Amino acid sequence: MGSAADVAQVLKVYWALLLGNILEWYEFAIYSFLEPYLETQFFHGSAISTWLGFACTFAARPFGGIVLGLLGDLFGRKVSTFLSICGMVIGTVGQGLVPSYQSGEVAGTIGLVLLVALRLLQGICTGGEIAAVSTYITEVGPKRSLARSMALIGITANVGFLLAQCASFLTREAVGLAAMESWAWRIPFIIALIPGVIATAGRRCIPESQVFLDAKAAADTTSDVSDVGSESVDANSGDAGSQGAARQAVARIKHLVASQWPALLIGIGSVAGVSVLQYGGFLWGNVFLKKHGASPDHLIAAGVTARMLSVVLAPLVAWLADTVGIGWIQLIGASALTLAGLPLFLVQKWMPDSIGVVLAAYGVGYGTIFALVGMIFFLLVVELFPVEVRNAGVGLSYNIGFCFFGGFAPTVFQASLSWTSWGPGWLMSFAGLVSLVTFVISIWLQSAGKAQLQLAHIRPEPYFALPGRTTDSNQMHSDTAKV
């Protein structure tokens, strides 16, 4: 009862963060569900070029993660979340307003350039969005139910994907295929304006993270004492403030890379499985099945099944993480994807027109695995970094991982079919193996005291304790870990 009240309080106070999170994942998913129409409108029928347009957003995410992450570490989590939601709304709605080649060659070229520019803006802003939101929730959520609070991010992400699939399906059903191919593909982009405005207004009123405020107050006190001499010199220069901010930002980046490089690498590898399943298995897989005979009705049923199953299982997975540790969830989920990625793809490839197969493999198979690897993995990444570099650390590691593994997954999946018809399945299993190996190495490094690695800065226990015992490294950090 107490844990349920904790989660309800987080939802009540920080609803605007979670609504923005729905919008973020909706924006990424809607492009993929509209890929067949964008392929003809902007990319002259080239599927690979269309998926490269999808991937360009991810190329911008690490930049947004580090820039907005630094802003969040310097000026507050609230600032970075407000800037990110504004950019996401502009980037998404704008994609529904650009001209296409249907209006002529010149208009189409201008529209393609604008489309790419808006997707880059979207990537920059979403790169900072998830880092800020996940950092926010971990810092304001009670420690006893931390995973259950973080599950709200996974649940709202699934809601965003489900809404994107429903929006594309319902728009087509309402106006017909001909109108969808001509102009109605714009509607799912434009309607994002409504929740975007609500989330933007709501984020102006959320309270700042107290953990950040305490850390900033302590850092300012130390800075005031140690930098008195330098401040008196800087006061004589006209642009002392901007120079000081620039020096502070550069110093933070250097400190982050120099002191946290093991955590950065672990964060990148940890998201391999979930990002490839999300953007390769779910999004590219949906288009693949559509092009190989699966009916829209079957696909919407499978998509709803997968997303709802993940949402229903999320509280149980989160409770297990709060009970036995997030490490166990990562181990089980990465192992499941490694073993099941290939066979789940193959049965869909062999029988794409079978509603039973698509529901079982895409709906139940992907949905169950995603509940393990995708609903609370944010906590695993956030835990890696201390508070003074947390926002930037999460933004950099998470977004590099999602850019490299997830952003290019549809393009690589599509290209792999020319090498072997089993390619996408092998790639999904390989992504699961990358996350699995990353986790095993991280546990070994911490247990052996290598690289001064601390996997859990917020809640050292439970993390990955064997039944009946506690890892020496967790015990070592339990008294010294700081939020």
Side-chain angles (χ1 to χ4, degrees), residues 328 465-471:
W328 279 106
L466 297 175
R469 58 173 293 186
T470 304
T471 57

Side-chain angles (χ1 to χ4, degrees), residues 31 40 66 73 95 100 124 126 162 189 297-298 366 417 420 423:
Y31 181 101
T40 58
I66 191 65
D73 285 335
Q95 289 176 70
S100 70
I124 291 172
T126 52
L162 183 58
F189 285 111
D297 292 340
H298 293 176
Y366 286 173
L417 292 174
T420 170

Side-chain angles (χ1 to χ4, degrees), residues 111-391:
L112 178 59
V113 172
L114 290 174
L115 179 70
V116 172
L118 288 167
R119 290 199 62 77
L120 290 173
L121 172 63
Q122 186 184 49
I124 291 172
C125 293
T126 52
E129 168 75 6
I130 191 60
V133 171
S134 57
T135 299
Y136 227 130
I137 297 298
T138 54
E139 291 180 350
V140 301
K143 301 301 174 286
R144 63 180 177 180
S145 55
L146 198 55
R148 277 164 282 189
S149 296
M150 289 295 283
L152 293 172
I153 299 179
I155 290 171
T156 51
N158 270 267
V159 171
F161 273 95
L162 183 58
L163 289 176
Q165 188 170 11
C166 290
S168 60
F169 174 78
L170 293 175
T171 302
R172 177 183 170 177
E173 291 296 302
V175 303
L177 180 59
M180 194 71 176
E181 292 175 339
S182 176
W183 59 270
W185 58 268
R186 300 176 182 275
I187 294 175
F189 285 111
I190 296 173
I191 60 176
L193 179 65
I194 299 171
V197 170
I198 296 172
T200 302
R203 288 190 179 189
R204 290 174 58 88
C205 305
I206 58 175
E208 183 57 83
S209 161
Q210 189 60 45
V211 172
F212 167 79
L213 293 175
D214 293 343
K216 183 173 176 58
D220 289 344
T221 301
T222 303
S223 177
D224 289 342
V225 172
S226 61
D227 295 336
V228 173
S230 61
E231 287 178 1
S232 63
V233 173
D234 287 344
N236 296 322
S237 60
D239 56 350
S242 61
Q243 289 180 0
R247 283 197 301 270
Q248 190 176 4
V250 172
R252 280 179 175 269
I253 296 174
K254 289 180 178 179
H255 172 66
L256 172 63
V257 175
S259 64
Q260 302 296 325
W261 64 267
L264 290 170
L265 292 177
I266 291 169
I268 292 170
S270 295
V271 304
V274 61
S275 60
V276 171
L277 177 59
Q278 186 78 280
Y279 296 106
F282 278 119
L283 298 191
W284 179 88
N286 182 278
V287 176
F288 174 83
L289 289 171
K290 184 185 299 183
K291 292 180 177 179
H292 287 77
S295 75
D297 292 340
H298 293 176
L299 290 175
I300 194 68
V304 170
T305 299
R307 297 299 175 181
M308 292 305 297
L309 183 58
S310 294
V311 169
V312 169
L313 291 176
L316 173 60
V317 173
W319 174 80
L320 287 171
D322 283 331
T323 303
V324 301
I326 182 65
W328 279 106
I329 305 302
Q330 176 74 355
L331 176 65
I332 296 170
S335 299
L337 182 59
T338 302
L339 296 174
L342 177 60
L344 285 176
F345 171 74
L346 290 180
V347 295
Q348 295 174 79
K349 175 184 179 299
W350 292 331
M351 292 178 282
D353 56 348
S354 169
I355 178 61
V357 168
V358 173
L359 275 176
Y362 188 104
V364 177
Y366 286 173
T368 302
I369 295 175
F370 192 79
L372 293 167
V373 301
M375 298 305 286
I376 56 171
F377 77 98
F378 308 98
L379 177 59
L380 188 86
V381 180
V382 176
E383 282 272 29
L384 290 167
F385 302 97
V387 62
E388 62 270 11
V389 294
R390 183 170 296 151
N391 218 10

